Amino acid sequence: MKTMDFTNQRILITGGSRGIGRATAIAFAEAGARVALNFHSDKQAATETIEAMPGLGHFAVRADISQPESVQQLVEAVVQEMGGLDVLVNNAGVFFPHPVDRSSYTEWQQAWEKTIGINLMGAANASYCAAQHMIKQGGGRIVNVSSRGAYRGEPEQPAYGASKAGLNALSQSLAQALAPHHIFVGAVAPGFVATDMAKPWLDGEQGEAIRQQSPTGRVAKPEEIAHGILFLASEESQFTTGCVLDINGASYLR
Ligand code: NAP
């Protein structure tokens, strides 16, 4: 049995320029896939990621995933360039504080709009656009990058927790809706991962306490999340459809 072989598979990763998206892009390329990676603001990081990927034909596309028209244009451009789409990874995300007891009402609304717009609406719209092509071509996989925060709560970033809980529900609903089309949908739910997003927390005074949340005494490496994403996207994992895979070093057990 061949596992984790993505030879000739066509992959789109949102937010693929840095962090988990970057590690996932490299892992797919190492497994033989052709990868389109989306970025928003950091073209330099996107270029460096492309350069770090083995194989040919990888490319980067700028798009703000919170804008529905941009998402549609992104998916259309990728499908046209690659001749189809086998795997969509909804990875783009933001995480920033907006505590209910220390934010103005305006700040609160802006935080919810931005977080839900990128983390949940972006994924919903990319899934819709990708699914139209996957249905026509007879199959595909969608993997969503969720978070432990969906279950554990995010007291300082409540919109983030809500966006990821919504993303889990989206994954499960689409798993049911799309299985008859041979499209399989899953999610990974990491705890803290050593990326730019988590750096202010991991380098801050709570850093050691965060690492000790796991009995391993550390947080995840981006490559460990990429491994879970490839697992869910692999041909052999079809029957995991609808699952949310915890990758948190036993820091939170549900
Ligand atoms: P990161 O290092 O901050 O990278 C975020 C990525 O998202 C970048 O590629 C960024 O692109 C992209 N992005 C942000 N806003 C975007 C937008 N509007 N449109 C398109 N792309 C956008 O974050 P990360 O830690 O790798 O996180 C990746 C995913 O894992 C997120 O969904 C996050 O919620 C989830 N996650 C992370 C952790 C953690 O501890 N790090 C834990 C659980 C879940 P540009 O750089 O080009 O702007």
Side-chain angles (χ1 to χ4, degrees):
M1 184 176 67
K2 282 202 297 180
T3 52
M4 309 292 252
D5 179 3
F6 289 89
T7 304
N8 297 328
Q9 298 275 298
R10 299 153 299 184
I11 319 290
L12 169 59
I13 304 170
T14 68
S17 51
R18 294 184 286 118
I20 294 168
R22 174 187 156 94
T24 304
I26 293 170
F28 270 119
E30 286 173 346
R34 184 174 177 201
V35 181
L37 64 86
N38 152 250
F39 68 101
H40 179 217
S41 57
D42 198 340
K43 189 173 183 190
Q44 173 73 19
T47 304
E48 285 169 12
T49 299
I50 298 280
E51 286 169 1
M53 293 159 69
L56 298 172
H58 314 302
F59 59 99
V61 187
R62 186 196 296 273
D64 180 348
I65 218 74
S66 69
Q67 301 302 310
E69 299 77 22
S70 303
V71 172
Q72 195 170 37
Q73 287 163 7
L74 167 69
V75 173
E76 294 308 317
V78 167
V79 167
Q80 189 163 10
E81 176 67 27
M82 299 204 290
L85 180 63
D86 300 298
V87 178
L88 167 68
V89 180
N90 285 309
N91 167 75
V94 289
F95 176 79
F96 57 92
H98 49 280
V100 66
D101 55 351
R102 301 190 302 285
S103 302
S104 71
Y105 192 36
T106 302
E107 289 166 341
W108 177 258
Q109 288 174 57
Q110 287 170 345
W112 276 81
E113 193 174 333
K114 180 171 180 180
T115 304
I116 298 292
I118 296 171
N119 297 12
L120 181 54
M121 289 297 298
N125 289 337
S127 298
Y128 175 90
C129 294
Q132 308 313 307
H133 293 284
M134 290 174 177
I135 289 168
K136 273 190 227 144
Q137 76 189 17
R141 274 91 63 210
I142 298 172
V143 182
N144 295 313
V145 182
S146 179
S147 169
R148 178 187 73 165
Y151 303 108
R152 190 171 178 263
E154 293 286 358
E156 301 281 308
Q157 297 86 8
Y160 182 84
S163 73
K164 297 302 189 180
L167 192 55
N168 290 347
L170 172 70
S171 304
Q172 292 169 331
S173 298
L174 292 189
Q176 291 185 320
L178 293 172
H181 299 284
H182 212 74
I183 300 168
F184 305 103
V185 186
V188 293
F192 269 100
V193 187
T195 68
D196 294 344
M197 180 181 279
K199 195 169 170 37
W201 285 267
L202 298 177
D203 289 355
E205 58 185 28
Q206 325 150 36
E208 190 50 30
I210 290 171
R211 284 182 279 280
Q212 292 307 324
Q213 288 172 358
S214 165
T216 65
R218 67 174 179 88
V219 299
K221 299 175 220 158
E223 292 76 16
E224 292 172 306
I225 312 307
H227 186 73
I229 293 169
L230 266 70
F231 169 74
L232 291 182
S234 68
E235 190 65 22
E236 293 79 1
S237 297
Q238 287 180 4
F239 218 64
T240 62
T241 196
C243 91
V244 180
L245 178 64
D246 292 336
I247 311 179
N248 68 36
S251 62
Y252 184 75
L253 301 174
R254 60 189 168 95

